[in-house]
């Protein structure tokens, strides 16, 4: 049996995986990037605002058809339904609630009755962006952030904004209006686009060509069957993480290329849109930091429109409602719901435990980093504080490997399209002895004892 040398292996990796993966990635998105740039240039012209809205609707429609063909009709129906509800409830002070209920019913009916599972799951990302935009618009109208219901053209322009219609991210209606106004195409804007595009392709390569073979070829580690299971779980988790970063950086690219995602500071514009923070996930301080860094715009949306609205129920119920809302937006997938609800319990237990320990020892060991002028006696520079934070970081990696084992890189594409079922979830977590759940339960018991 022929054994590859290191040079032969890396040459085979580059020729057989890296180059084809990059070519396929570029081939999939170049038309979307071209339309984003075309709209950006068009909006620099002195056109009426109505024409700018229509141009992004046309661009968004073309992109939806390019990615989903005639299945795009289900995204269009959702957007029309959202505006109908918004118009009918224009005098109500609960438009956000009515839109949320309508969207929930539509998504549940689509998932269970109207469309086959594989087709529906392909459109899940686009459906989620439409839902998030419509719900945020409804709550902003209720809270007085927006004074009037947008015109149909402006609403559809926001929903089908070409920079976010496929990969996201969620942006507010005011951010969309700023994008349509179109700021100057500066050198910093160009650098941001190139950096985000390069980062997305890098993450795609890591996800496809490196992570699945991390401990097989790149860092060979051998051990008993249990150790191999955990190493394989970590490989699956890392592969899934970097596929998410790929989407995050692509969404940064398309949104920035279209003119969104900037901060206006007097006479200076900063193109500073950040969707994901990979280092905060791969080298975490806490699971709380992981869930906020995973997708910053969605984290902001969930916090603003779900968590805060649910706080009257109490902190823990509000956390569960938030993760349940996230699970529903991601579709009726058992493994995603199991992961997100598990994350709700894990992050809550971690938060309250670290908060209690921080209070007892007056140390900077909270789930989130303390500000420099915090009142704790023992700061981050203290060796014991550093060690405790490191221990919680390692625990977070343990949880990530456990949760990520469900995303099996060896599974057939048809299985991924249909979604992993309950049997797959139970089998995978049983192989790891339900370790993360037991550890979380143990942390909760410890917290109750020291409370």
């Amino acid at each position: 049996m022929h054994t590859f040398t290191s040079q032969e292996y890396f040459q085979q990796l580059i020729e057989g995986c890296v180059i084809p993966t990059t070519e396929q990635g570029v081939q999939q998105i170049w038309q979307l990037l071209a339309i984003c740039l075309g709209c950006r240039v068009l909006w620099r012209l002195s056109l009426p605002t109505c024409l700018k809205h229509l141009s992004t609707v046309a661009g968004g429609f073309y992109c939806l058809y390019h990615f989903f063909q005639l299945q795009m009709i289900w995204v269009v129906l959702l957007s029309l339904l959202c505006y109908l509800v918004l118009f009918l409830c224009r005098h109500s002070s609960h438009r956000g609630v009515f839109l949320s209920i309508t969207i929930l019913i539509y998504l549940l009916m689509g998932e269970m009755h109207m469309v086959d599972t594989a087709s529906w799951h392909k459109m899940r990302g686009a459906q989620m962006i439409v839902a998030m935009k419509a719900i945020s618009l409804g709550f902003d109208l209720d809270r007085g952030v927006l004074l009037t219901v947008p015109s149909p053209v402006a609403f559809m322009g926001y929903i089908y904004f070409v920079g976010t219609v496929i990969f996201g991210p969620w942006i507010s209606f005011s951010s969309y209006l700023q994008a349509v106004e179109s700021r100057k195409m500066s050198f910093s804007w160009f650098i941001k686009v190139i950096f985000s595009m390069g980062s997305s392709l890098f993450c795609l390569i890591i996800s496809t060509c490196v992570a699945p073979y991390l401990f097989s070829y790149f860092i060979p580690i051998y051990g008993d069957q249990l150790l191999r299971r955990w190493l394989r779980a970590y490989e699956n988790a890392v592969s899934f993480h970097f596929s998410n970063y790929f989407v995050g950086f692509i969404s940064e690219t398309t949104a920035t290329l279209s003119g969104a995602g900037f901060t206006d500071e007097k006479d200076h514009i900063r193109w500073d849109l950040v969707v994901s923070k990979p280092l905060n996930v791969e080298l975490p301080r806490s699971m709380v930091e992981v869930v906020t860094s995973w997708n910053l715009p969605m984290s902001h949306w969930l916090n603003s429109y779900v968590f805060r609205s649910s706080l009257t129920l109490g902190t823990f119920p509000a956390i569960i409602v938030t993760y349940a809302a996230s699970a529903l937006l991601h579709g009726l997938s058992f493994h995603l719901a199991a992961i997100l609800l598990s994350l709700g319990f894990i992050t809550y237990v971690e938060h309250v435990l670290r908060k209690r320990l921080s209070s007892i020892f007056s140390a900077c060991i909270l789930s989130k980093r303390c500000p420099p002028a915090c009142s704790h006696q023992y700061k981050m520079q203290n060796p014991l504080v550093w060690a405790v934070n490191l221990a919680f970081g390692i625990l977070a990696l343990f949880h990530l490997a456990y949760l990520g084992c469900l995303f099996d890189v060896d599974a057939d594409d048809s299985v991924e399209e249909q979604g992993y079922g309950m049997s797959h979830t139970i089998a995978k977590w049983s192989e790891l002895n339900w370790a993360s759940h037991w550890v979380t339960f143990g942390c909760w018991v410890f917290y109750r004892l020291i409370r």
Side-chain angles (χ1 to χ4, degrees):
M1 181 178 178
H2 176 68
T3 303
F4 286 108
T5 64
S6 296
Q7 184 176 356
E8 289 174 335
Y9 173 74
F10 283 108
Q11 183 178 354
Q12 185 71 20
L13 181 72
I14 292 171
E15 295 176 356
C17 187
V18 173
I19 293 176
T21 298
T22 305
E23 290 176 347
Q24 290 175 14
V26 173
Q27 185 178 4
Q28 284 289 321
I29 62 174
W30 75 266
Q31 291 190 48
L32 174 60
L33 298 178
I35 293 173
C36 289
L37 180 60
C39 287
R40 179 92 163 91
V41 172
L42 184 65
W43 296 336
R44 291 293 299 159
L45 305 177
S46 299
L47 297 175
T49 304
C50 182
L51 288 181
K52 292 182 178 181
H53 292 316
L54 288 173
S55 67
T56 193
V57 171
F61 267 51
Y62 178 83
C63 292
L64 284 170
Y65 182 78
H66 174 69
F67 281 91
F68 308 121
Q69 285 74 51
L70 292 178
Q71 296 293 342
M72 66 173 280
I73 190 65
W74 300 107
V75 181
V76 176
L77 282 176
L78 177 59
S79 65
L80 292 173
L81 182 62
C82 287
Y83 193 78
L84 176 63
V85 172
L86 199 61
F87 178 77
L88 293 176
C89 302
R90 60 191 181 278
H91 301 303
S92 171
S93 59
H94 301 288
R95 285 164 285 200
V97 174
F98 286 126
L99 275 168
S100 300
I101 294 172
T102 303
I103 288 168
L104 175 61
I105 293 172
Y106 180 86
L107 294 179
L108 291 176
M109 289 181 62
E111 190 93 34
M112 295 186 292
H113 300 293
M114 295 191 297
V115 191
D116 64 279
T117 304
S119 299
W120 189 263
H121 283 188
K122 288 179 182 178
M123 299 180 291
R124 188 162 52 194
Q127 299 270 32
M128 182 163 51
I129 293 299
V130 171
M132 291 170 66
K133 286 181 176 179
I135 291 171
S136 66
L137 187 62
F139 277 108
D140 284 346
L141 286 167
D142 294 339
R143 295 170 182 176
V145 177
L146 298 175
L147 300 179
T148 58
V149 176
S151 67
V153 175
F155 176 82
M156 292 302 169
Y158 173 49
I159 295 295
Y160 297 110
F161 176 53
V162 68
T164 61
V165 69
I166 302 298
F167 296 105
W170 168 81
I171 60 172
S172 65
F173 184 70
S174 58
S175 296
Y176 162 70
L177 293 179
Q178 289 178 336
V180 171
E181 289 174 5
S182 191
R183 304 306 169 94
K184 184 179 179 181
M185 299 167 70
S186 62
F187 181 71
S188 60
W189 166 80
F190 177 75
I191 291 297
K192 172 64 177 176
V193 170
I194 295 299
F195 174 79
S196 296
M197 183 64 191
S199 299
S200 69
L201 293 176
F202 172 78
C203 291
L204 179 62
I205 291 168
I206 296 295
S207 174
T208 308
C209 306
V210 177
Y213 316 106
L214 188 60
F215 297 115
S216 304
Y217 297 102
F218 292 93
I219 311 173
I221 296 178
Y222 307 99
D224 59 18
Q225 187 176 7
L226 182 60
L227 176 61
R228 289 199 299 271
R229 286 176 182 171
W230 276 100
L231 293 177
R232 190 60 180 158
Y234 185 75
E235 287 178 341
N236 290 340
V238 171
S239 179
F240 174 68
H241 293 175
F242 276 87
S243 67
N244 174 73
Y245 306 147
F246 162 69
V247 174
F249 282 117
I250 278 293
S251 66
E252 279 185 22
T253 305
T254 55
T256 305
L257 194 59
S258 303
F262 62 86
T263 303
D264 198 344
E265 297 178 341
K266 296 180 181 179
D267 58 342
H268 177 67
I269 293 177
R270 264 191 317 127
W271 297 94
D272 54 0
L273 175 63
V274 177
V275 174
S276 299
K277 292 183 177 180
L279 284 178
N280 288 358
V281 178
E282 303 308 318
L283 299 172
R285 172 190 174 86
S286 65
M287 287 300 290
V288 172
E289 185 176 69
V290 167
V291 297
T292 54
S293 300
W294 184 257
N295 188 317
L296 292 168
M298 185 165 193
S299 177
H300 174 74
W301 184 89
L302 288 168
N303 183 62
S304 299
Y305 301 107
V306 182
F307 180 74
R308 291 182 184 176
S309 301
S310 308
L311 267 179
T312 53
L313 303 173
T315 303
F316 179 67
I319 291 173
I320 298 303
V321 168
T322 302
Y323 281 99
S326 179
L328 289 170
L329 284 172
H330 282 86
L332 288 180
S333 176
F334 183 87
H335 79 290
L336 279 177
I339 288 172
L340 289 168
L341 291 176
S342 296
L343 272 173
F345 286 102
I346 291 169
T347 52
Y348 173 75
V349 171
E350 180 195 55
H351 168 70
V352 294
L353 175 59
R354 294 182 72 163
K355 183 178 180 181
R356 182 58 183 153
L357 291 174
S358 176
S359 175
I360 292 172
F361 298 107
S362 186
C364 295
I365 54 176
L366 293 168
S367 297
K368 295 184 178 180
R369 300 176 192 274
C370 293
C374 71
S375 59
H376 293 130
Q377 181 180 353
Y378 300 103
K379 305 293 184 181
M380 280 293 299
Q381 296 77 13
N382 185 284
L384 287 177
V385 171
W386 185 86
V388 170
N389 285 321
L390 177 63
F392 275 109
I394 294 172
L395 181 61
L397 287 175
F398 162 79
H399 288 307
L400 286 171
Y402 176 84
L403 296 172
C405 75
L406 300 185
F407 299 95
D408 194 348
V409 295
D410 295 325
D412 294 334
D413 290 341
S414 59
V415 175
E416 291 186 31
E417 289 176 358
Q418 293 286 340
Y420 300 106
M422 182 172 64
S423 59
H424 171 85
T425 303
I426 293 174
K428 284 293 183 180
W429 280 348
S430 295
E431 287 180 0
L432 301 179
N433 303 312
W434 300 88
S436 179
H437 289 94
W438 282 114
V439 169
T440 302
F441 177 71
C443 289
W444 178 78
V445 170
F446 179 60
Y447 160 70
R448 297 295 296 183
L449 290 172
I450 65 174
R451 187 178 177 183

